């Protein structure tokens, strides 16, 4: 079997930050039949009930903005959003409906409003619920898996990751500010330190497979998911 060749971590970082990177809503719109959208309280959370291959499912998506698609999403789900996820998971478990989640987030919303709303508790409750829920769950890391904000919806029975996606405990910029603070003080640009931060974090799909966070890596078009949404969805 031919060994998979990955792009460099910096190349993958540039792909997931591309303004036209495929989003959760793009995938959901193309794979879900007879969709009924929940009235999500958070634009960064897309929640849908519909059919995939004839199976009734609940689909949750973490949403970022992208060029050419109007959205108020910020890519960071709020405390209210994660609380809504818990309600939906309760419904899924009660009716034995499988849950599919698409992960693409900088991390959980770090605003004071979310903090006062119990953000850390809601995220930990989501992780616990995904671990315990008595209905099938599947997750896909399609872009950026940022810290607990991603983990809250990624711990599933089966987990997949796009080959150019990145998943880490912290964003590389934040990592660089902490680990390479002295170099920043000496005048180096933050952008120039991102590559070194990525090497420290090891956030690639192959690294996540090694530690058992994902079960399978999904291919993208050669130049990245933004170049052909249809092929990305069908691969």
């Amino acid at each position: 079997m031919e060994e998979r060749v990955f792009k460099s971590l910096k190349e993958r970082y540039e792909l997931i930050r591309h303004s036209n990177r495929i989003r959760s809503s793009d995938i959901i719109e193309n794979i879900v039949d007879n969709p009924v959208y929940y009235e999500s309280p958070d634009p960064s959370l897309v929640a849908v009930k519909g059919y995939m291959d004839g199976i009734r499912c609940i689909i949750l998506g973490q949403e970022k903005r992208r060029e050419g698609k109007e959205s108020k999403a910020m890519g960071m789900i709020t405390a209210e959003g994660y609380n809504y996820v818990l309600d939906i998971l309760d419904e899924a478990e009660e009716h034995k409906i499988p849950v599919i989640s698409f992960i693409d987030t900088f991390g959980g919303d770090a605003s004071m409003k979310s903090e006062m709303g119990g953000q850390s508790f809601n995220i930990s409750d989501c992780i616990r619920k995904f671990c315990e829920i008595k209905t099938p769950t599947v997750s896909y890391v399609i872009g950026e898996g940022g810290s607990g904000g991603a983990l809250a919806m990624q711990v599933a029975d089966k987990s997949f990751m796009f080959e150019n996606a990145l998943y880490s405990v912290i964003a590389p910029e934040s990592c660089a500010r902490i680990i390479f603070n002295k170099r920043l003080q000496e005048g180096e640009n933050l952008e120039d330190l991102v590559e070194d931060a990525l090497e420290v974090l090891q956030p690639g799909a192959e690294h996540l497979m090694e530690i058992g966070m994902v079960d399978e890596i999904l291919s993208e078009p050669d130049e990245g998911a933004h170049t052909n949404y249809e092929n990305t969805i069908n691969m």
Side-chain angles (χ1 to χ4, degrees):
M1 184 176 178
E2 187 176 346
E3 186 177 354
R4 185 191 294 265
V5 178
F6 291 93
K7 299 182 186 299
S8 72
L9 291 173
K10 185 64 184 304
E11 288 174 320
R12 284 181 265 178
Y13 167 81
E14 291 169 352
L15 287 174
I16 63 167
R17 291 291 178 87
H18 195 284
S19 60
N20 284 322
R21 178 76 182 179
I22 195 168
R23 303 305 190 200
S24 295
S25 59
D26 298 316
I27 298 175
I28 290 169
E29 288 164 9
N30 283 277
I31 66 171
V32 180
D33 296 322
N34 303 319
V36 177
Y37 284 78
Y38 289 83
E39 294 184 7
S40 172
D42 187 338
S44 296
L45 171 66
V46 180
V48 186
K49 190 184 295 180
Y51 290 83
M52 292 180 58
D53 296 329
I55 300 173
R56 189 182 184 216
C57 300
I58 288 175
I59 302 94
L60 302 171
Q62 297 179 327
E63 184 77 349
K64 289 182 180 177
R65 295 178 187 174
R66 75 160 170 80
E67 193 170 303
K69 187 168 191 175
E70 186 176 345
S71 175
K72 295 181 180 180
M74 299 300 291
M76 297 176 289
I77 296 179
T78 62
E80 188 177 15
Y82 284 117
N83 194 52
Y84 196 62
V85 169
L86 289 166
D87 290 340
I88 293 174
L89 293 178
D90 284 341
E91 177 189 341
E93 186 169 42
E94 180 182 355
H95 299 287
K96 305 299 181 187
I97 304 173
V99 178
I100 298 167
S101 56
F102 293 100
I103 309 304
D104 189 19
T105 181
F106 301 110
D109 177 54
S111 70
M112 182 58 71
K113 181 179 180 182
S114 281
E115 181 63 25
M116 296 297 291
Q119 178 74 304
S120 59
F121 295 102
N122 289 352
I123 286 176
S124 62
D125 283 345
C126 281
I127 296 170
R128 175 190 53 78
K129 186 65 177 179
F130 266 99
C131 289
E132 297 177 350
I133 191 169
K134 293 178 175 61
T135 194
T137 56
V138 181
S139 67
Y140 295 83
V141 183
I142 65 169
E144 193 164 5
S147 192
L151 197 62
M153 293 168 55
Q154 184 269 330
V155 183
D157 297 326
K158 190 80 171 178
S159 185
F160 300 87
M161 187 169 174
F162 282 17
E163 67 175 310
N164 292 320
L166 300 177
Y167 190 0
S168 176
V169 69
I170 191 172
E173 296 90 346
S174 299
C175 175
R177 289 189 183 97
I178 297 169
I179 302 297
F180 305 122
N181 183 55
K182 186 175 180 180
R183 292 167 62 181
L184 285 170
Q185 291 178 349
E186 291 173 349
E188 290 192 54
N189 292 324
L190 179 63
E191 290 183 4
D192 296 333
L193 298 175
V194 165
E195 187 169 3
D196 289 345
L198 289 166
E199 291 300 327
V200 171
L201 294 169
Q202 296 287 282
E206 70 276 29
H207 308 127
L208 273 294
M209 276 201 72
E210 284 181 12
I211 62 174
M213 285 295 295
V214 295
D215 300 296
E216 190 173 333
I217 300 171
L218 303 180
S219 298
E220 295 183 28
D222 289 341
E223 299 305 315
H226 67 280
T227 61
N228 194 319
Y229 292 174
E230 184 177 356
N231 279 0
T232 299
I233 291 168
N234 291 330
M235 288 180 86

